[in-house]
Amino acid sequence: MLKTHSCGELRKEHVGKKVTLAGWVDRRRDHGGLIFIDLRDREGIVQVAFNPEVSEASHKVADRMRSEYVVRVSGEVARRPRGTENPKLPTGEVEIIAQEAEILNPSKTPPFYVNEDVEVEENLRLKYRYLDLRRPRMRESMMLRHQVVKFIRDFLDANGFIEIETPILIKSTPEGARDYLVPSRLHPGKFYALPQSPQQLKQLLMVAGMEKYYQIARCFRDEDTRADRQPEFTQLDLEMSFVEEEDILCLMEELFVSLVAAVKPQMRVLTPFPRLSYAEVLDRYGTDKPDLRFGMEIKDLSDIVAKSSFSIFAEAVASGGKVKGICAPGCADYTRRQLEELNELARSCGAGGLVTISLGDSAGGGLDGLSMEKVRSAAAKFLTTDEVKEMARRLEAKMGDLLLVVAGEAKVVNLALGELRQEMGARLKLAEPNTLAFAYIKNFPLFRWDEEAGRWDSEHHPFTKPWDEDIPLIDTDPGKVRSKHYDMVCNGYEIGGGSLRIHTAELQRKVFRLLGYRDEEIEERFGHMLEAFEYGAPPHGGIALGIDRIVMLLAGRETIREVIAFPKTQSALDLTFNAPSPVSEAQLAELHIELREE
RNA sequence: GGCCCCGUGGUGUAGCGGACUAACAUGCCACCCUGUCACGGUGGAGAUCAGGGGUUCAAAUCCCCUCGGGGUCGCCA
């Protein structure tokens, strides 16, 4: 090794030791006589003092050093003179008195600060990702990610799981997300596809008797990106045989509780993880991935205003819709402009509009003193004091609060209020950043009617097991069939999902038929699964968790790009390599591909 | 594909019709400086204001188009 110690590890116990360090120049302070270099490596920073009276030669070398030069320094670890210790550095009690120094490689002036944590345009960071990754924030992200994956592997190993790799070149299945395709050289006109997830493979591993499988699996989906979505991403994929739903949910709960305690002990995990039904979360939070770090629940007000002379409310109820609301605490003094923004948000969700009801000013106080003079609302003249009081009471409001009420079709009302709840939660900073509020969402419908295609579609995927008692409904009322699927959510993100799977060919075939596949299609696309299920497939189930999103939440970052070493842009470009790129005519010819004019 | 936001020295920002010959901070270069640690001091270089077109006596500033980036809806079984 070119070094005997790492910069970050040196403490006063090392005083007197002769050490050799190698790393990058984080900062240089030239005092004319004395030169100080903050030397940085992966583990941290230590100050090196170049004194011409100690070593004329190395002082000369230090004179040429600049930011991000790669240098090697030998010298003695010394206690810093009294009064010059730096409490901001873990190594701040000591410094290296340089005796020898060499520049291993100079550096151009970096295009952005490596030694300061300032915002830099993201495409510049991505182009020079190798410099960006030197910055402390990114280094911490990468280390955290490593610790998370390491912990998961150790945990699952201790619980009897074995890690098995599955192919990256596999078969295209037109259902689900758009596939990334790989042309075959040996089979003209045929293509492999990159896996969207190892779903079928892990089920076959259960048929194979592996009983407990997991994989840190790369998955590929050719769909548009988001802050929490990339074309390729990493899942913790796992599957178990002979399990019931709670076996998996409890195991994952144990995993996360111990994981957070190990890698982020300063974060609080709310336990036990609540199990909520899909219908319930839509009703109470307006989304299937609620942020449960704060309340502000959506309440049904339909019965209160069914007979109201405010026709928008009364008519919504009369035509089978709902009137629901949330309470924004302390927002009674919101300006017209602020209220209009919220109205706009509600409309963008498809709502006809938003009715806001300000309860007095921000003076606070109980509802007893509420009179219509203190109510500010476009609907004020149509509402009675009792109606407003009742609504306020149900929403657990007090004077000074703002009621946000939406009327219309239940689905739209929930969606709009869900968005408003999220928005108000963010504005009022109701979500504690160091808290992780996990929950399981269960009892999804198995099928959803696809208007466009005019047929039933799987809510998740066709291998999900229905409730036993609902199986007859597949023939009579598919929309009522409940599934054995569960999602794991945390702080408003869906971080994973799984299910118990169908393990008999008979039931699997029945589901495929409902989804509109002809028998020969079923054979062509899923024959391998159906046949496998005829050779003693055990009951099984599993879950897949988004590693990128989990690390993002643990790192407190806004996008998964912050926890991926080389992420892609929104338009799926890799700016470090400039991928995708054209290929030569020869390469195309070998793959039997001819480009067509667009 | 729709909608929204952003693009000004290397970096991050200010300027939002005339006082802009474009400001500030930092970085960079030179010189000075032996206890700094975001060292300090003096001086200097560095910007066709993303690109194109238009309105105007006058455009970084207003309008249109294009490009690039981000957010989001659709999409993500």
Side-chain angles (χ1 to χ4, degrees):
Chain A
M1 288 293 287
L2 298 179
K3 55 183 190 174
T4 60
H5 293 74
S6 62
C7 300
E9 73 175 292
L10 297 173
R11 297 289 183 275
K12 59 175 184 278
E13 295 80 63
H14 297 88
V15 167
K17 271 215 163 96
K18 165 124 199 220
V19 298
T20 301
L21 304 176
W24 289 262
V25 175
D26 196 66
R27 229 174 258 279
R28 173 172 169 277
R29 289 177 294 280
D30 185 348
H31 288 244
L34 266 185
I35 296 175
F36 296 103
I37 296 284
D38 288 340
L39 190 62
R40 184 191 74 232
D41 63 16
R42 204 185 73 184
E43 309 304 323
I45 286 176
V46 71
Q47 172 167 283
V48 184
F50 294 86
N51 189 333
E53 287 165 16
V54 174
S55 165
E56 177 78 44
S58 43
H59 181 267
K60 270 207 174 115
V61 174
D63 196 50
R64 282 164 35 224
M65 291 181 186
R66 294 291 182 274
S67 286
E68 300 307 311
Y69 275 38
V70 183
V71 302
R72 185 184 189 205
V73 176
S74 296
E76 192 178 308
V77 181
R79 201 159 184 136
R80 291 203 192 184
R82 191 181 300 276
T84 67
E85 301 89 351
N86 184 354
K88 283 186 264 179
L89 282 182
T91 61
E93 285 188 285
V94 300
E95 65 186 358
I96 313 303
I97 307 299
Q99 289 156 353
E100 291 169 57
E102 66 177 304
I103 291 171
L104 298 175
N105 206 352
S107 170
K108 288 170 49 172
T109 300
F112 53 84
Y113 302 100
V114 171
N115 54 13
E116 274 179 47
D117 195 19
V118 293
E119 288 297 318
V120 178
E121 208 183 308
E122 200 175 1
N123 52 351
L124 193 68
R125 292 175 56 198
L126 291 176
K127 182 175 175 193
Y128 298 98
R129 190 58 153 184
Y130 46 87
L131 296 180
D132 191 35
L133 288 165
R134 284 184 195 168
R135 309 206 304 167
R137 260 188 350 153
M138 290 307 294
R139 196 170 63 229
E140 284 160 19
S141 284
M142 292 303 110
M143 285 185 170
L144 177 64
R145 188 176 178 127
H146 161 72
Q147 287 165 353
V148 167
V149 172
K150 166 94 162 63
F151 187 94
I152 289 172
R153 285 202 158 102
D154 291 345
F155 177 92
L156 291 175
D157 175 66
N159 279 275
F161 284 78
I162 57 175
E163 183 169 11
I164 302 175
E165 292 175 86
T166 54
I168 292 293
L169 296 174
I170 183 102
K171 179 177 167 145
S172 174
T173 52
E175 45 283 316
R178 198 176 290 114
D179 283 321
Y180 275 100
L181 295 176
V182 179
S184 164
R185 173 179 59 85
L186 296 175
H187 303 276
K190 293 185 178 175
F191 294 81
Y192 300 97
L194 308 183
Q196 299 173 23
S197 87
Q199 181 60 36
Q200 296 182 39
L201 295 156
K202 68 176 173 178
Q203 288 191 246
L204 293 177
L205 289 171
M206 293 302 103
V207 181
M210 294 300 159
E211 296 203 29
K212 290 177 173 184
Y213 141 91
Y214 84 99
Q215 182 180 190
I216 306 294
R218 194 66 65 85
C219 304
F220 305 86
R221 294 178 189 174
D222 188 3
E223 299 290 352
D224 288 355
T225 64
R226 287 288 184 280
D228 61 355
R229 272 165 38 189
Q230 283 270 305
E232 56 179 301
F233 60 101
T234 306
Q235 281 188 348
L236 163 60
D237 189 54
L238 72 84
E239 197 79 6
M240 302 168 75
S241 294
F242 312 114
V243 281
E244 296 178 304
E245 197 168 81
E246 276 301 317
D247 295 316
I248 296 164
L249 303 192
C250 291
L251 182 74
M252 290 299 100
E253 181 166 342
E254 195 191 326
L255 168 63
F256 276 97
V257 170
S258 53
L259 169 69
V260 176
V263 305
K264 277 277 170 180
Q266 65 273 39
M267 288 188 108
R268 198 162 66 101
V269 179
L270 304 180
T271 54
F273 297 0
R275 275 75 162 156
L276 304 168
S277 80
Y278 175 68
E280 186 184 358
V281 288
L282 284 190
D283 188 51
R284 289 167 59 189
Y285 304 102
T287 170
D288 60 359
K289 44 182 186 183
D291 189 340
L292 297 173
R293 287 175 296 176
F294 62 96
M296 204 192 274
E297 288 190 24
I298 299 169
K299 296 277 165 61
D300 195 340
L301 309 170
S302 305
D303 58 311
I304 300 173
V305 295
K307 297 279 182 289
S308 172
S309 50
F310 186 49
S311 58
I312 290 175
F313 285 176
E315 278 168 21
V317 179
S319 58
K322 293 278 185 194
V323 178
K324 299 174 81 170
I326 56 173
C327 168
C331 296
D333 54 2
Y334 256 38
T335 61
R336 283 179 71 101
R337 186 196 168 87
Q338 287 172 304
L339 295 174
E340 188 45 43
E341 283 168 5
L342 298 179
N343 194 0
E344 203 56 42
L345 180 61
R347 282 174 198 275
S348 73
C349 299
L354 170 69
V355 177
T356 59
I357 304 174
S358 292
L359 302 179
D361 46 37
S362 17
L367 291 173
D368 294 340
L370 180 71
S371 61
M372 289 311 285
E373 297 91 78
K374 291 184 177 165
V375 172
R376 193 159 56 90
S377 171
K381 59 185 161 189
F382 304 107
L383 294 169
T384 66
T385 313
D386 281 346
E387 284 168 346
V388 174
K389 259 189 195 168
E390 269 310 299
M391 288 194 281
R393 206 162 281 149
R394 183 157 306 164
L395 292 170
E396 293 166 30
K398 50 190 189 319
M399 293 302 286
D401 291 353
L402 174 68
L403 311 185
L404 304 175
V405 184
V406 179
E409 194 197 334
K411 210 172 145 182
V412 173
V413 169
N414 284 337
L415 177 68
L417 286 169
E419 288 294 322
L420 286 165
R421 176 179 177 273
Q422 204 56 40
E423 172 67 20
M424 293 315 300
R427 287 187 186 211
L428 299 172
K429 297 192 169 32
L430 298 179
E432 219 289 301
N434 267 320
T435 296
L436 294 166
F438 290 92
Y440 290 115
I441 314 300
K442 297 171 39 172
N443 304 351
F444 287 85
L446 188 62
F447 304 111
R448 129 172 68 83
W449 181 255
D450 183 337
E451 280 298 338
E452 222 174 292
R455 61 174 181 84
W456 290 100
D457 199 4
S458 294
E459 177 70 32
H460 295 94
H461 58 61
F463 309 106
T464 309
K465 192 179 178 186
W467 285 32
D468 288 334
E469 58 266 47
D470 291 353
I471 290 175
L473 292 171
I474 296 175
D475 296 317
T476 57
D477 192 356
K480 288 250 155 56
V481 180
R482 289 164 293 179
S483 86
K484 288 285 189 182
H485 178 94
Y486 31 82
D487 270 351
M488 182 188 265
V489 301
C490 181
N491 293 7
Y493 289 91
E494 181 196 324
I495 57 169
S499 61
L500 299 187
R501 325 295 184 187
I502 295 168
H503 68 282
T504 65
E506 186 196 359
L507 181 56
Q508 188 66 72
R509 196 167 267 125
K510 191 181 179 73
V511 167
F512 283 137
R513 283 185 182 138
L514 177 79
L515 296 177
Y517 292 109
R518 296 190 314 275
D519 281 1
E520 54 271 31
E521 280 180 303
I522 296 175
E523 281 315 310
E524 207 267 314
R525 292 186 188 171
F526 303 108
H528 55 285
M529 295 295 288
L530 292 168
E531 192 177 18
F533 288 167
E534 286 167 348
Y535 286 96
H540 61 284
I543 195 165
L545 300 164
I547 295 287
D548 311 280
R549 289 182 189 174
I550 290 163
V551 178
M552 175 187 83
L553 285 170
L554 291 173
R557 301 288 151 78
E558 300 290 326
T559 85
I560 60 172
R561 297 189 298 278
E562 293 292 309
V563 298
I564 295 173
F566 297 98
K568 292 178 177 56
T569 66
Q570 189 165 72
S571 50
L573 296 174
D574 183 314
L575 295 181
T576 312
F577 286 86
N578 263 320
S581 60
V583 295
S584 70
E585 191 50 46
Q587 281 175 292
L588 288 176
E590 213 166 31
L591 295 168
H592 325 284
I593 286 179
E594 193 170 28
L595 296 181
R596 67 158 116 180
E597 298 294 326
E598 285 301 325

